[in-house]
Amino acid sequence: MFPVGLSFCESVWRLLLLATDRRFHFTMPSENLRWETLEALKNSPKGQVTFDPYWSERGEHILAGCKETPSLSSHSAVILERIDSRSLNKSSFLDSSSIDFEEKPASVSSSESTADLNSKISFLSSAPSLKNQPKDVSGSLPKLSDETRGESPEADVSEVPAPPSPPPISLLSPRAMETAGHIIRFQKKQQEKAKVALQERQALQEKLVESVASTELEHLKRFEEMKELKQRQEFQSIRDMIDRETKESMGRQEKLKEEQRHRIKILNLRVRELEQQRHREAELEKQRQAEGRERLRSLNSIQEEILQLNQLLEPSAQANAHLPAASLASHSLRGNQLCSQVSEVVRKTAEGEFPSVEDMAVAERALCEMRSVIRQMGEEADRVQEKKKKDQEQEEERRKQEALQAQQEAQKKAEQAAKEKELRKGLQNNAEESTMKWYKELQNSAAQCAQSFEQLNSPKDAQTKKLKLELQKAATIPVSQISTNSGSQLREIFDRIDKLLSGRAVVSGGKSVSASQHPQGLEFVAYKLAEKFVKQGEEEVASHHEAAFPIGVVASGIWELHPQVGDLILAHLHKKCPYSVPHYPPMKDGTPVEEYQKILGYRVDDCGVEGQDSFLKRMSGMIRLYAAVIQLRWPYGSKQGSVPHGLNHGWRWLAQMLNMEPLADITATLLFDFLEVCGNALMKQYQGQFWKLILLLKDEYFPRIEAVTSSGEMGSVIRLKQFLETSLKSRQISPPKGQLSATFWRS
């Protein structure tokens, strides 16, 4: 390796010079010694020096290995032993060769050869010392000078400082000089090769640096592109995040707006509920005031009557002339006590309060007791008078026996005639014969219709059962959807019911169903539809009175197109509410009480009979529905024919109700509900005749209602009385609430 430098080459040259000197005689040819010397130098540690690329990392000098002391292998000692020591001591040879040595440097033109030769001469001069050290343990040559070890392998040979001039010796032989020249040329060639290798290495290093620089530049560009791409991606992600947050914020704003609208709606509903509650409270207050005023009027009437009856208890009364004084005094005392009780009740009302129900009960009991006292006094007077008459009759019995018998017979005849006359003037307990015949025909028709679809009503196979359920839903669901939302929705419901009754297919629950799919389908649908209409009156109209008009107008339109449905509606209505006939079913012998209550319209279940309030509410709902049906007509139907069940039936029902004996609570309730819904239409239709009927109701029939009504059932009686008084006073009946207007049908 070239980093070994000049020190190694110089050692080689000196050894070769010693081996080839003519003055020395070896036992072996010089050529063999030369190659053995080179082999020894090659195998020496200095000849095996290798280049270490990590010298810079360890902080060493690049020529640190070359500056070490060179040493020869153990084979060099053999070479030195073969040198003839005797030839080295021949001075004559040295003297003779000095001339040649002097001449030889002259032939060398350069200073470099001279310096080398001088160094060789110095080496030769030190040869005896080398000879004296062949047996050294290390087997190596003496160390070179510091100047030789410090030389750089790249430095020129001319730069090596010349050693001090040795003492003049004889020149080398031509063969030695030739060898020295060869060595010098070899050394120069090696230096040139080292320089070329160094330049190539530098060029290679520059190319490597340039390629690394270009690669790093490309890497820098890629890094910048990647950085720019990441920036764009980050910008895009930030923009997406901003857009997403914007959308989320907009969504939250919309949600907040929706919640605000919902809260406003709830607040509006609460305000409306509060307003309705306030209105109801106001209505209840008005009703309470009206009932209080009515009780006050009744109390005044009771006080007036009891005072008038008390006058009959006075001793000066003509009717009391025949009574004993003690009996008359006791009756008078009791009458005064009863008057005091009523006066105490009236005194409470003088403070600005209305009499309560308990006060009225006290006053009514006082009046009843006063009447009882008057009756007892009259009975006593009659007994006294009869006793006197008996005495007179006993006295004149013999004389006037025949006349008395004739008088008694005449009196009996008069009483019998009076009874017959009273019977003729009394009211009926049952409906007219024609009405009952019509009622029975409707019930028989409904029963026959129910029997006609018995097979469909009690299916045995699953397919028929499924068809029955679908037909029942198709018939009942549209009726349940009837409301006052819009006229277009009501018309869609009517068309759906009409299609179903006509045998056409309709969509129910996402499925197409038709009544013509079964031979008994039309009868089944008509029966269930009529039953549902009556049930809506029993439940929906009973809770919301305004619902009678949309349900009634649809029922009237269906009745007009399909009369069978109308007859079934009447049959179901008469069965659930016999008072709509009107008919008061009598209790037959052997009929259980619960069964008779069912006939009267009460609901009877395992818990017992329903309450009176619930019963009246259901009856009221059905009568209101009936009153709406008879006055309404479907606006999109045919206007040519007459209404199948119009106001004439309402007039007939009202007249027959007034011809029958009133029932407690139910009669007043039904008359009020009927007139409130249908009174305006009857007034416009019959005018004067209607007002005569209302006047008859107030003057003659209403007292009969009061007579059969107890004190705890006066609510419906008071409402009816107020309605009649208001209507007669204004000669006008207001249109019912919830009546469908022209704008409703355009919605």
Side-chain angles (χ1 to χ4, degrees):
M1 303 246 334
F2 65 89
V4 175
L6 294 176
S7 59
F8 176 73
C9 295
E10 187 177 358
S11 302
V12 174
W13 179 81
R14 288 181 179 181
L15 290 175
L16 288 177
L17 182 62
L18 291 174
T20 57
D21 194 349
R22 291 179 181 180
R23 291 178 296 176
F24 300 103
H25 301 279
F26 301 97
T27 58
M28 293 181 67
S30 61
E31 210 49 51
N32 294 333
L33 289 174
R34 182 186 305 168
W35 293 112
E36 289 179 2
T37 302
L38 292 175
E39 185 68 22
L41 292 174
K42 179 181 178 182
N43 294 330
S44 66
K46 195 65 176 181
Q48 296 180 358
V49 175
T50 58
F51 174 72
D52 189 0
Y54 304 102
W55 59 269
S56 179
E57 296 179 1
R58 294 194 300 270
E60 297 179 358
H61 193 270
I62 189 170
L63 299 178
C66 299
K67 291 181 181 181
E68 295 178 359
T69 303
S71 61
L72 297 176
S73 66
S74 59
H75 297 283
S76 60
V78 179
I79 298 173
L80 295 176
E81 288 179 355
R82 290 181 181 181
I83 298 176
D84 189 3
S85 59
R86 290 176 296 174
S87 62
L88 294 175
N89 296 324
K90 289 181 179 181
S91 58
S92 61
F93 176 76
L94 294 173
D95 294 337
S96 63
S97 62
S98 62
I99 299 172
D100 295 334
F101 187 78
E102 291 292 337
E103 293 178 355
K104 189 67 180 178
S107 64
V108 180
S109 61
S110 64
S111 59
E112 297 172 353
S113 300
T114 304
D116 292 335
L117 290 175
N118 292 331
S119 60
K120 294 174 185 178
I121 292 170
S122 62
F123 177 78
L124 290 175
S125 62
S126 60
S129 63
L130 292 174
K131 185 179 180 180
N132 297 328
Q133 298 175 355
K135 299 298 180 178
D136 192 89
V137 179
S138 61
S140 60
L141 293 175
K143 293 182 180 180
L144 297 177
S145 64
D146 294 337
E147 294 178 357
T148 304
R149 285 187 287 111
E151 291 176 350
S152 174
E154 298 176 2
D156 195 271
V157 179
S158 61
E159 297 177 0
V160 179
S165 301
I169 58 175
S170 61
L171 297 174
L172 297 177
S173 64
R175 182 69 177 270
M177 294 299 291
E178 183 181 1
T179 304
H182 284 302
I183 291 173
I184 292 170
R185 284 193 300 271
F186 177 76
Q187 185 177 4
K188 288 183 178 181
K189 287 181 181 180
Q190 291 298 323
Q191 289 178 356
E192 291 296 332
K193 288 182 180 180
K195 289 181 181 180
V196 171
L198 181 61
Q199 291 175 357
E200 290 178 356
R201 185 176 181 84
Q202 288 178 350
L204 181 62
Q205 189 70 20
E206 290 176 358
K207 289 182 181 180
L208 181 61
V209 170
E210 184 179 358
S211 63
V212 170
S214 62
T215 304
E216 293 299 326
L217 182 61
E218 290 296 328
H219 288 174
L220 180 60
K221 290 181 180 179
R222 300 291 86 77
F223 175 75
E224 291 178 352
E225 291 175 358
M226 183 63 68
K227 186 176 181 180
E228 184 180 358
L229 176 60
K230 289 183 178 180
Q231 289 177 353
R232 289 199 305 272
Q233 290 177 349
E234 290 177 358
F235 177 74
Q236 183 66 28
S237 63
I238 292 172
R239 186 169 58 188
D240 294 342
M241 182 177 65
I242 292 174
D243 294 341
R244 185 168 60 255
E245 290 178 355
T246 303
K247 291 181 181 179
E248 290 177 356
S249 63
M250 292 177 65
R252 287 193 296 269
Q253 290 178 359
E254 290 296 330
K255 186 176 180 180
L256 290 175
K257 290 180 181 179
E258 184 65 25
E259 291 178 355
Q260 184 68 17
R261 288 194 292 268
H262 183 64
R263 284 196 293 268
I264 292 174
K265 185 176 179 181
I266 291 175
L267 289 177
N268 291 335
L269 289 175
R270 290 180 179 175
V271 170
R272 194 176 303 128
E273 289 177 358
L274 291 175
E275 186 65 23
Q276 292 177 356
Q277 184 177 1
R278 186 188 62 79
H279 183 67
R280 286 194 298 269
E281 290 177 355
E283 291 292 333
L284 291 175
E285 182 64 22
K286 289 181 181 179
Q287 184 177 354
R288 189 181 67 81
Q289 294 286 340
E291 292 177 354
R293 285 192 291 270
E294 183 65 27
R295 287 196 295 270
L296 183 59
R297 285 194 293 269
S298 300
L299 181 61
N300 294 333
S301 303
I302 291 173
Q303 187 181 20
E304 181 181 1
E305 184 178 358
I306 203 169
L307 290 175
Q308 291 176 358
L309 293 176
N310 190 41
Q311 291 177 359
L312 299 177
L313 299 177
E314 294 294 333
S316 59
Q318 186 176 1
N320 301 331
H322 304 287
L323 290 176
S327 177
L328 187 59
S330 63
H331 290 307
S332 179
L333 178 61
R334 184 55 183 163
N336 291 331
Q337 291 176 352
L338 295 175
C339 289
S340 298
Q341 291 180 3
V342 176
S343 299
E344 185 66 25
V345 174
V346 173
R347 191 177 300 109
K348 292 181 181 179
T349 60
E351 299 176 359
E353 297 180 357
F354 293 112
S356 62
V357 178
E358 291 79 6
D359 296 337
M360 292 300 299
V362 171
E364 289 175 356
R365 284 197 298 270
L367 179 60
C368 292
E369 192 171 354
M370 178 64 77
R371 290 174 179 171
S372 176
V373 171
I374 295 298
R375 188 169 56 254
Q376 291 176 3
M377 187 179 65
E379 291 176 355
E380 289 181 3
D382 292 340
R383 284 196 298 269
V384 171
Q385 190 175 2
E386 288 178 1
K387 187 177 180 181
K388 289 181 179 180
K389 287 181 179 180
K390 286 180 181 180
D391 293 340
Q392 291 176 1
E393 288 175 358
Q394 287 177 2
E395 292 177 359
E396 297 179 359
E397 182 178 0
R398 293 179 183 179
R399 294 180 303 169
K400 299 180 179 179
Q401 186 175 3
E402 295 179 0
L404 183 59
Q405 291 178 354
Q407 185 179 1
Q408 289 177 354
E409 291 177 0
Q411 187 176 0
K412 288 180 181 179
K413 291 180 180 180
E415 289 177 357
Q416 186 176 1
K419 288 181 180 180
E420 292 178 356
K421 185 177 181 181
E422 186 67 25
L423 288 175
R424 285 195 299 270
K425 290 183 179 180
L427 299 178
Q428 302 174 0
N429 291 324
N430 294 319
E432 295 180 356
E433 185 178 353
S434 59
T435 303
M436 292 303 299
K437 182 179 179 181
W438 174 59
Y439 164 74
K440 292 178 180 179
E441 288 177 355
L442 289 175
Q443 296 301 319
N444 293 334
S445 176
Q448 291 176 2
C449 181
Q451 291 178 357
S452 64
F453 60 82
E454 183 66 26
Q455 183 181 356
L456 180 60
N457 195 31
S458 301
K460 296 181 180 179
D461 57 328
Q463 186 176 1
T464 307
K465 184 183 294 185
K466 183 178 179 181
L467 178 62
K468 172 203 170 184
L469 293 176
E470 291 178 354
L471 289 176
Q472 187 170 351
K473 289 181 180 179
T476 57
I477 290 177
V479 181
S480 302
Q481 295 174 346
I482 296 176
S483 64
T484 56
N485 292 337
S486 64
S488 58
Q489 181 183 4
L490 204 62
R491 189 171 181 180
E492 291 178 1
I493 294 173
F494 179 86
D495 293 339
R496 196 187 313 169
I497 296 174
D498 182 32
K499 285 182 180 180
L500 183 65
L501 291 173
S502 301
R504 290 178 288 176
V506 295
V507 178
S508 177
K511 298 180 181 179
S512 178
V513 62
S514 173
S516 58
Q517 293 177 352
H518 195 275
Q520 303 171 2
L522 291 175
E523 289 79 3
F524 177 77
V525 168
Y527 189 88
K528 292 297 180 182
L529 185 65
E531 186 179 31
K532 183 61 177 179
F533 271 116
V534 177
K535 190 174 183 180
Q536 284 294 99
E538 184 182 9
E539 297 176 354
E540 183 68 20
V541 180
S543 301
H544 305 89
H545 293 168
E546 293 81 1
F549 295 95
I551 299 174
V553 73
V554 174
S556 177
I558 296 298
W559 197 333
E560 185 175 354
L561 295 177
H562 306 278
Q564 181 188 6
V565 178
D567 294 340
L568 292 173
I569 290 174
L570 279 178
H572 284 292
L573 182 66
H574 291 169
K575 185 176 182 180
K576 288 192 173 184
C577 179
Y579 313 102
S580 61
V581 178
H583 172 52
Y584 304 152
M587 185 174 182
K588 299 180 180 179
D589 297 337
T591 304
V593 177
E594 292 183 354
E595 186 67 25
Y596 180 64
Q597 288 175 334
K598 288 182 180 180
I599 296 173
L600 293 177
Y602 287 89
R603 282 179 176 174
V604 181
D605 52 15
D606 297 337
C607 298
V609 184
E610 67 175 331
Q612 186 70 10
D613 293 339
S614 174
F615 168 73
L616 291 176
K617 185 177 180 181
R618 291 192 303 104
M619 299 299 111
S620 174
M622 287 185 281
I623 286 297
R624 284 179 176 271
L625 177 62
Y626 181 68
V629 169
I630 63 177
Q631 65 173 316
L632 295 175
R633 188 170 189 177
W634 182 247
Y636 302 104
S638 175
K639 301 293 183 180
Q640 297 178 359
S642 59
V643 181
H645 201 79
L647 286 173
N648 57 329
H649 290 272
W651 180 267
R652 178 195 61 79
W653 181 86
L654 185 59
Q656 289 196 6
M657 281 290 289
L658 298 182
N659 287 331
M660 298 178 69
E661 285 289 347
L663 298 178
D665 214 0
I666 185 66
T667 301
T669 300
L670 297 184
L671 285 175
F672 171 75
D673 291 328
F674 185 83
L675 290 174
E676 189 178 39
V677 176
C678 196
N680 182 266
L682 290 173
M683 177 192 70
K684 293 179 180 179
Q685 179 75 19
Y686 296 100
Q687 298 179 357
Q689 295 296 327
F690 174 75
W691 290 115
K692 289 180 181 179
L693 191 65
I694 295 298
L695 188 62
L696 175 66
L697 171 60
K698 180 181 180 300
D699 293 341
E700 297 185 13
Y701 194 74
F702 188 78
R704 291 178 177 270
I705 296 176
E706 288 183 322
V708 297
T709 305
S710 62
S711 58
E713 301 172 347
M714 293 297 293
S716 58
V717 177
I718 293 173
R719 285 195 297 270
L720 178 61
K721 185 177 181 180
Q722 290 177 352
F723 177 81
L724 295 175
E725 290 177 352
T726 304
S727 301
L728 289 172
K729 184 177 180 180
S730 61
R731 296 289 292 181
Q732 184 68 28
I733 295 180
S734 302
K737 294 180 181 179
Q739 193 171 13
L740 304 179
S741 60
T743 57
F744 169 79
W745 296 108
R746 292 194 294 269
S747 61

